[in-house]
Amino acid sequence: MRWIWIDKFVEFESGKRAAAIKNVSLAEEHLHDHFPGYPVMPQSLMIEAMAQTSGILVGEARHFQEKVILAKITKAVFHALARPGDQLRLEAEIENLTEEAAAINGTIRCGEKVIGEISLMFSHIDKNLAGMEFPEENFVFNEQFMSLLQFYLEDPESSVQSS
Amino acid sequence: MKFILLDKVLSIEVGRRIEAVKALSLAEEYLGDHFPSFPVLPGVLMIEGLLQTAAMLVRVTNDFRQSMIVLQEARNVKYKSFVKPGSLVRMEVQAKNIEEQSSSFFGASYVGDEPMVEGRLKLRHYNLAEENPKWSSVDARIIREMKQRAQLLGAC
Amino acid sequence: MAISREEICIKVRETLVDALGVDDDEVTDEATLMGDLGAESIDFLDIVFRLEKAFGIKIPREELFPPENLLNDAHYVENGKLTAEGLTKLKAQMPHVDFTEFSRDPDLNKLPDLFRVKSICDYIDSNVNAA
């Protein structure tokens, strides 16, 4: 299983908001345990999809200089399940961004329906978590995540809002 | 990856609390991406661990009457540290209440004495047959597997 | 525009319920933020963000919550207690908090008890309704 929970960006307004897509497919192994005979996308992974969408948005707003780590799930509420064949749209908006932390609000839609609402806070860990050991280089924004944004920015069909 | 985020139940008090362990191993594939130079248990899998532990308490308390147990709401989940491979994560979940169709909990995970995460969770539970009777065989299958898993984990 | 003390308290309570995921009835005036309500560093930031939005004011974090840089500074802390210098600095940073009791025995372990829901209401009141 690859730890990447969004498939592509479809909107990106630097410093403000972003939207990404996640397709749910029977080809994803973990679905077959959750649950056997009735696969649904685990809510925890929907939270991760939102964290990745908004984490890249927050990271990009500060030119990927910070290591942006999920610090708090203020609230995550789910109204319906996501099933194989569904295409989820994750929309994230920056509520607050400072040197130390960021707060975002997000919505997950399946078609017209809002199936989840998530509020998260990220910490910029070089400024916090004193005394804890972690690598010097920005291990958060590795090639995998950066390529998601790269694909979006290079796609002639996407509407790019410059920073 | 097998989507099972607890490995053993240490103790269980029906209707009240449950304690379980998740052993984190470098053999778990997703660690290769999270992160390549700094493998740590993803925060949402810590939550999934607490949620699966809570769900196990619900299943045993409600006598495996419901097949589907999913997260309705998570609140004020705070991450305090990183869990590295080779660690044993102890998950302690206390029930605020467990009804037929819903339950709520306070959960916290530790490695040794060090807290890793804590938060409040609300679950909802139901059978697929409630929506459509043709799904009752699927309910039965899920329940059967969960009973086996509960036995394997030492929950009952 | 002046806001009544009561309105302030209602908004502050709502903010704490949203930020800390606690129940309404847990947020009493005397409830301690760290002890009773479980607030931590990341929560302080969350609370400050929300209060700034709710009341349209700027809130320097160290005016409302335990100043971590002060507490980690050897000048201001000795043997788990605040020095006279530390106490003076703390009082200056947080004029809305009553340090009388604490001053008698400035034990760091007792510091969290000073931060109560009431102190946030006091802070907002004095800032929003400043003449």
Side-chain angles (χ1 to χ4, degrees):
Chain A
M1 159 208 259
R2 298 188 59 197
W3 196 254
I4 190 132
W5 296 103
I6 50 177
D7 298 320
K8 64 179 197 175
F9 278 98
V10 291
E11 279 171 37
F12 200 93
E13 263 182 75
S14 179
K16 295 209 188 112
R17 50 179 299 282
I21 296 287
K22 160 87 191 119
N23 282 344
V24 184
S25 169
L26 278 175
E28 296 176 84
E29 275 184 60
H30 62 276
L31 288 187
H32 300 268
D33 290 324
H34 190 278
F35 294 92
Y38 197 80
V40 297
M41 182 170 180
Q43 283 75 18
S44 57
L45 297 181
M46 286 201 245
I47 296 174
E48 180 67 16
M50 182 58 73
Q52 291 185 354
T53 306
S54 52
I56 293 173
L57 176 63
V58 165
E60 193 274 347
R62 292 178 66 87
H63 312 290
F64 299 111
Q65 292 304 302
E66 321 274 16
K67 300 179 185 72
V68 173
I69 292 279
L70 183 61
K72 176 171 164 179
I73 303 172
T74 313
K75 186 184 86 169
V77 184
F78 298 95
H79 307 297
L81 301 176
R83 301 182 57 193
D86 283 345
Q87 181 171 85
L88 304 184
R89 184 186 163 92
L90 299 110
E91 291 176 4
E93 214 172 286
I94 297 183
E95 276 293 302
N96 235 300
L97 179 59
T98 67
E99 237 183 48
E100 288 175 283
I104 70 100
N105 282 335
T107 326
I108 305 183
R109 282 185 168 79
C110 183
E112 292 298 309
K113 196 164 181 205
V114 171
I115 67 168
E117 290 160 287
I118 304 183
S119 297
L120 304 173
M121 282 194 78
F122 293 97
S123 199
H124 298 151
I125 62 174
D126 284 325
K127 310 267 186 302
N128 306 304
L129 295 188
M132 221 170 279
E133 277 175 35
F134 41 82
E136 267 239 28
E137 84 275 11
N138 202 330
F139 57 86
V140 176
F141 295 111
N142 50 59
E143 217 178 288
Q144 202 158 252
F145 286 130
M146 298 302 278
S147 66
L148 269 177
L149 190 53
Q150 210 54 39
F151 290 146
Y152 173 79
L153 294 173
E154 283 168 8
D155 183 352
E157 298 204 1
S158 72
S159 53
V160 180
Q161 313 273 329
S162 57
S163 45
Chain B
M1 174 205 186
K2 273 250 156 249
F3 205 66
I4 303 178
L5 275 302
L6 68 161
D7 296 312
K8 184 157 75 169
V9 170
L10 297 174
S11 68
I12 183 167
E13 265 174 78
V14 174
R16 296 187 49 191
R17 57 186 303 277
I18 180 171
E19 212 179 318
V21 162
K22 186 217 159 6
L24 184 64
S25 171
L26 204 47
E28 295 175 49
E29 274 181 58
Y30 58 83
L31 289 177
D33 286 334
H34 191 280
F35 298 96
S37 57
F38 185 59
V40 289
L41 181 60
V44 298
L45 291 187
M46 287 199 229
I47 284 300
E48 182 67 27
L50 286 173
L51 134 64
Q52 287 188 8
T53 304
M56 188 53 68
L57 180 60
V58 172
R59 292 188 190 281
V60 172
T61 304
N62 285 354
D63 227 5
F64 297 88
R65 280 190 291 279
Q66 293 91 26
S67 64
M68 298 288 289
I69 302 187
V70 294
L71 182 66
Q72 170 77 41
E73 191 175 306
R75 269 193 191 277
N76 206 30
V77 173
K78 283 179 289 198
Y79 294 100
K80 296 158 194 258
S81 190
F82 297 116
V83 178
K84 299 188 181 171
S87 302
L88 293 172
V89 186
R90 191 178 79 255
M91 300 179 286
E92 292 179 5
V93 173
Q94 266 159 298
K96 280 179 77 174
N97 69 296
I98 300 180
E99 321 279 331
E100 273 304 291
Q101 312 254 270
S102 67
S103 51
S104 67
F105 305 87
F106 177 77
S109 300
Y110 303 86
V111 171
D113 285 322
E114 230 197 305
M116 297 287 130
V117 69
E118 65 176 40
R120 299 180 184 218
L121 304 173
K122 274 194 187 152
L123 307 183
R124 64 182 176 100
H125 1 117
Y126 61 101
N127 282 304
L128 298 163
E130 286 160 37
E131 195 111 327
N132 190 333
K134 78 173 187 202
W135 289 98
S136 62
S137 58
V138 180
D139 286 323
R141 177 182 163 185
I142 295 173
I143 288 170
R144 200 169 49 240
E145 292 230 12
M146 291 303 160
K147 274 187 181 164
Q148 277 176 352
R149 190 183 295 181
Q151 254 191 334
L152 176 67
L153 294 174
C156 61
Chain C
M1 187 193 89
I3 312 184
S4 74
R5 169 84 192 195
E6 204 184 313
E7 263 180 82
I8 290 178
C9 285
I10 292 177
K11 267 195 184 174
V12 166
R13 274 202 287 273
E14 268 169 22
T15 301
L16 293 176
V17 166
D18 284 343
L20 302 176
V22 290
D23 298 320
D24 237 340
D25 53 11
E26 288 178 75
V27 188
T28 60
D29 263 357
E30 294 303 318
T32 57
L33 295 166
M34 285 167 269
D36 299 323
L37 303 181
E40 295 168 33
S41 202
I42 191 76
D43 297 310
F44 302 153
L45 289 172
D46 195 356
I47 293 168
V48 164
F49 286 163
R50 287 169 194 269
L51 289 175
E52 284 182 337
K53 225 182 191 141
F55 294 102
I57 54 176
K58 262 276 158 222
I59 301 177
R61 185 188 165 297
E62 64 275 6
E63 281 182 24
L64 206 53
F65 291 114
E68 260 144 54
N69 51 351
L70 192 147
L71 298 179
N72 288 331
D73 192 332
H75 276 129
Y76 305 127
V77 176
E78 212 179 278
N79 289 329
K81 298 196 188 203
L82 273 184
T83 59
E85 218 184 317
L87 196 48
T88 314
K89 193 150 171 44
L90 189 60
K91 281 182 182 174
Q93 246 171 235
M94 315 185 82
H96 59 285
V97 177
D98 180 7
F99 288 105
T100 338
E101 186 66 52
F102 179 72
S103 302
R104 291 189 205 123
D105 179 21
D107 187 340
L108 279 190
N109 291 324
K110 295 207 192 130
L111 192 58
D113 290 341
L114 291 173
F115 297 89
R116 296 175 187 260
V117 175
K118 186 173 172 304
S119 35
I120 300 192
C121 295
D122 289 339
Y123 177 87
I124 301 285
D125 201 356
S126 59
N127 270 278
V128 165
N129 291 323

